[in-house]
Amino acid sequence: MNVDPREKAIEHLQAAIAAASARGDPAELAYYQAKLGTAYTQRRQGKAAENFQRAIEHYERSLALQPREKSPDDWAAAQNGLGTAYMKRLDGDKADNMERAIEHFRNALQVRTRQG
């Protein structure tokens, strides 16, 4: 029986979060929280609505731990991921989810701009 690599990624990221928490390293913890958000966004098992909600929670935790000033690229990546999760979210008001997605994409653009 093949194990879905996304499920293995979630398992490993949860272990990494526990280790980073034990070490008290907020930057590392923020990084793994964002990666776990991405993993839940891409997850195929379970209910899609629950996966997107979990993704949102992990991205929000990441952003709470990582101020823009400390790591602008990671902050922008988490904002972008949060925008994607809201855009794909199945629960809640569709228009509200889209407005939130746009807000997070705009936040990401404060750091990530196209170089011409």
Side-chain angles (χ1 to χ4, degrees), residues 25-61:
D25 186 339
E28 184 182 16
L29 187 54
Y31 174 81
Y32 289 127
Q33 287 286 356
K35 292 296 181 187
L36 191 53
T38 300
Y40 273 111
T41 300
Q42 298 172 356
R43 189 177 194 209
R44 300 245 195 277
Q45 292 186 7
K47 294 181 180 179
E50 290 175 10
N51 290 334
F52 290 123
Q53 186 58 41
R54 286 182 179 161
I56 288 167
E57 291 165 7
H58 287 288
Y59 283 124
E60 287 176 343
R61 287 180 195 148

Side-chain angles (χ1 to χ4, degrees), residues 36-106:
L36 191 53
T38 300
Y40 273 111
T41 300
Q42 298 172 356
R43 189 177 194 209
R44 300 245 195 277
Q45 292 186 7
K47 294 181 180 179
E50 290 175 10
N51 290 334
F52 290 123
Q53 186 58 41
R54 286 182 179 161
I56 288 167
E57 291 165 7
H58 287 288
Y59 283 124
E60 287 176 343
R61 287 180 195 148
S62 175
L63 289 167
L65 292 163
Q66 114 187 316
R68 176 182 168 185
E69 301 76 32
K70 263 195 149 176
S71 184
D73 288 336
D74 290 341
W75 180 87
Q79 289 285 350
N80 191 66
L82 192 50
T84 299
Y86 271 112
M87 184 175 67
K88 294 182 175 184
R89 188 178 191 208
L90 301 172
D91 290 337
D93 180 70
K94 181 101 174 141
D96 182 54
N97 288 336
M98 285 299 144
E99 287 299 320
R100 288 180 181 204
I102 291 167
E103 176 186 345
H104 290 291
F105 290 138
R106 283 187 178 145

